[in-house]
Amino acid sequence: MEQDMKKKDIKDKNAAKKSSEKISAAMEAARRFQVRGSFYSMTPYGNGHINDTYLFQTKENEKIHSYILQRINHHVFKDPEGLMENIRLVTAFLRRKIRENGDDPERETLTLIPADSGRILYQDPGDSFWRCYLFIENTLCLEQANSPEDFRESGRAFGAFQQMLNDFPASTLSQSIPDFHNTPLRYQRLLDAVKKDPLHRVRKAESELAFLEARARQLDSAARLSADGRLPLRVTHNDTKLNNVLFDAASRKSLCVIDLDTIMPGLSIYDFGDAIRFGANTALEDETDLSKVSLSLPLYRAFSQGFLEKAGTILTDEELYMLPMGAKLMTLECGIRFLTDYLEGDVYFKIQRPDHNLDRTRVQLALIKDMEEKWDAMTIRSL
Ligand code: ADP
Ligand code: GN1
Ligand code: MG
């Protein structure tokens, strides 16, 4: 007992030391960006699984200016320069369209703050890559949809995003993560991890592996249609979680699509599908009580309506037909990715507890099961 307490004490102290080292590195990086005023505060921010995000504030006379400072995870994003160039091109394109519509580009898309060198990326001596955005004030960021109306709003935001980028020259974008939504390849990587089983965790995930194996033949259903040219490649966001949309706090209307790291050529049904996977789930992505997990049809319908209101005119009949399959595929793929990371030792997604990635996997699989039961009600014609 006493030894356990000591171990916990050491673990807590190490964690505190690591987090204070991280804050110091962030403070050092912050000095390199062309912000107004002088340093005021630095606080870890948000719930992302990949990058380190900070709310960084400065003071000028009595006024506080707020920024988002992020350390890009370069184990995940191997080409931070290419990724930042994608973001620069896309936000400049969106900024022009938003201005033409008479709206405010500083609230409706991300605004990059240049570093001292004039570049939009700062590489510190420890080889971490940093970027800085204007903090968009008076917004809400939701982890769960509180009402169909909120979720319809996020559908509008991602639909409008897709629609606005319809004429963006896709060939100018680099692939920030090659094969990001290559679901069959993701499954192959899971099977490789099963074979290696470095931490002997396979025995804890046998039923999950069997569940996925039973659905393995469905995994290439969208990739095949895309290869045949029946699903067009578009500029897509690829990480359309509800918490990647900011809402205007006063009007509760969706305002700005954020987290642009994975903008790449992709399929519209994946943007639709990933949003459903995360936001139409009645439970959180890491809920341990699986009885709480289900696909909410009211939320599903509300998102679909918002998405189609904005993007409906550009989508083909084949895309409309495949939207529900996009939701199933993104849920299968995410389950596969969480499980792979669990077997490989939690090296990709940030975890807050042991077995966190296994819990996340189970939620995805429970959601798939519920989607299968509600499949007929998910067809877009029946909305
Ligand atoms: P991650 O890739 O780790 O998910 P995000 O870019 O989504 O990182 O940022 C994490 C969180 O920070 C978001 O969920 C949101 O709450 C907040 N955030 C990010 N950018 C801004 C911004 N420009 N203004 C206000 N809040 C922001
Ligand atoms: C990651 O960065 P974040 O938390 O928005 C991941 C997504 C997953 C998601 C699961 C670059 O998104 O692909 O769907 O976690 N992002 C990357 O929550 O891998
Ligand atoms: Mg995010």
Side-chain angles (χ1 to χ4, degrees):
M1 179 75 176
E2 203 174 305
Q3 233 179 6
D4 280 356
M5 293 288 282
K6 259 191 201 150
K7 262 194 206 155
K8 190 180 171 302
D9 236 29
I10 294 174
K11 219 170 144 197
D12 288 352
K13 272 191 194 140
N14 284 344
K17 187 164 166 246
K18 209 164 159 206
S19 111
S20 99
E21 281 168 8
K22 280 186 159 188
I23 294 270
S24 308
M27 282 162 66
E28 196 49 42
R31 289 158 31 122
R32 311 300 165 133
F33 287 90
Q34 297 180 32
V35 296
R36 300 173 63 175
S38 52
F39 180 84
Y40 181 67
S41 69
M42 182 72 69
T43 325
Y45 200 78
N47 288 320
H49 294 340
I50 308 290
N51 296 314
D52 292 337
T53 302
Y54 300 88
L55 168 62
F56 161 43
Q57 294 187 304
T58 59
K59 201 168 181 184
E60 188 184 41
N61 303 320
E62 281 315 296
K63 194 168 163 36
I64 302 289
H65 301 286
S66 300
Y67 303 90
I68 284 283
L69 179 73
Q70 284 181 318
R71 185 211 305 258
I72 300 172
N73 181 333
H74 63 273
H75 302 293
V76 167
F77 299 107
K78 309 260 190 267
D79 175 17
E81 312 259 353
L83 174 158
M84 289 307 290
E85 183 58 9
N86 284 357
I87 295 180
R88 191 183 68 76
L89 291 169
V90 167
T91 52
F93 186 90
L94 291 175
R95 177 163 295 109
R96 211 184 56 237
K97 290 216 165 173
I98 293 165
R99 202 173 286 129
E100 278 166 14
N101 287 343
D103 294 322
D104 178 357
E106 288 200 354
R107 281 183 73 66
E108 300 195 13
T109 190
L110 290 171
T111 304
L112 283 161
I113 306 293
D116 285 340
S117 55
R119 299 174 66 227
I120 48 179
L121 194 59
Y122 164 65
Q123 185 173 5
D124 74 15
D127 277 344
S128 285
F129 291 86
W130 299 85
R131 65 166 168 233
C132 186
Y133 292 120
L134 268 189
F135 182 87
I136 305 173
E137 306 269 3
N138 305 319
T139 62
L140 302 171
C141 178
L142 307 176
E143 291 301 321
Q144 264 191 309
N146 299 321
S147 67
E149 198 37 55
D150 282 347
F151 203 37
R152 180 178 290 111
E153 269 305 313
S154 81
R156 286 191 181 115
F158 286 121
F161 188 81
Q162 191 120 126
Q163 192 275 332
M164 278 198 282
L165 292 173
N166 194 31
D167 55 345
F168 182 93
S171 60
T172 57
L173 293 180
S174 60
Q175 292 222 9
S176 53
I177 302 183
D179 288 312
F180 191 58
H181 285 318
N182 184 340
T183 317
L185 185 69
R186 296 280 190 184
Y187 185 58
Q188 195 47 53
R189 289 187 189 152
L190 172 64
L191 297 183
D192 293 345
V194 169
K195 240 186 233 151
K196 290 192 186 122
D197 195 16
L199 297 167
H200 310 292
R201 289 180 171 181
V202 167
R203 62 195 155 84
K204 283 181 80 175
E206 266 160 12
S207 63
E208 288 76 14
L209 287 163
F211 181 98
L212 290 168
E213 191 185 355
R215 287 154 183 82
R217 285 192 16 217
Q218 299 172 30
L219 298 178
D220 69 350
S221 48
R224 265 190 290 119
L225 291 178
S226 166
D228 292 349
R230 287 169 62 192
L231 287 176
L233 263 191
R234 301 184 179 279
V235 175
T236 47
H237 182 282
N238 295 305
D239 187 5
T240 47
K241 298 202 290 196
L242 178 63
N243 61 13
N244 286 331
V245 176
L246 298 179
F247 287 69
D248 182 81
S251 65
R252 229 180 158 90
K253 297 276 178 216
S254 56
L255 184 69
C256 180
V257 170
I258 59 168
D259 203 346
L260 305 180
D261 292 330
T262 47
I263 287 184
M264 285 179 276
L267 301 184
S268 58
I269 67 164
Y270 291 161
D271 272 8
F272 173 87
D274 198 48
I276 296 298
R277 172 193 76 74
F278 186 86
N281 185 355
T282 49
L284 287 173
E285 200 182 48
D286 58 357
E287 175 60 60
T288 49
D289 177 356
L290 294 181
S291 69
K292 292 190 181 158
V293 178
S294 69
L295 178 88
S296 155
L297 282 173
L299 289 177
Y300 178 82
R301 290 189 187 113
F303 183 91
S304 306
Q305 286 159 0
F307 189 77
L308 294 178
E309 183 189 308
K310 297 292 182 179
T313 52
I314 62 164
L315 299 182
T316 64
D317 287 349
E318 194 93 38
E319 284 176 299
L320 292 175
Y321 176 74
M322 286 294 284
L323 289 175
M325 196 58 194
K328 185 168 184 191
L329 281 171
M330 286 300 93
T331 313
L332 279 162
E333 182 184 289
C334 205
I336 289 170
R337 293 176 64 198
F338 286 145
L339 187 52
T340 307
D341 198 33
Y342 173 68
L343 297 182
E344 289 180 342
D346 311 308
V347 290
Y348 187 94
F349 296 104
K350 287 184 190 170
I351 54 163
Q352 278 83 42
R353 55 176 190 257
D355 290 357
H356 204 162
N357 275 317
L358 183 58
D359 294 341
R360 289 170 174 153
T361 307
R362 290 181 171 148
V363 170
Q364 301 305 303
L365 305 197
L367 188 58
I368 292 163
K369 207 156 165 271
D370 198 49
M371 283 180 183
E372 287 173 347
E373 278 159 26
K374 293 176 175 157
W375 195 244
D376 287 345
M378 284 174 71
T379 57
I380 293 301
R381 275 186 312 279
S382 72
L383 288 181

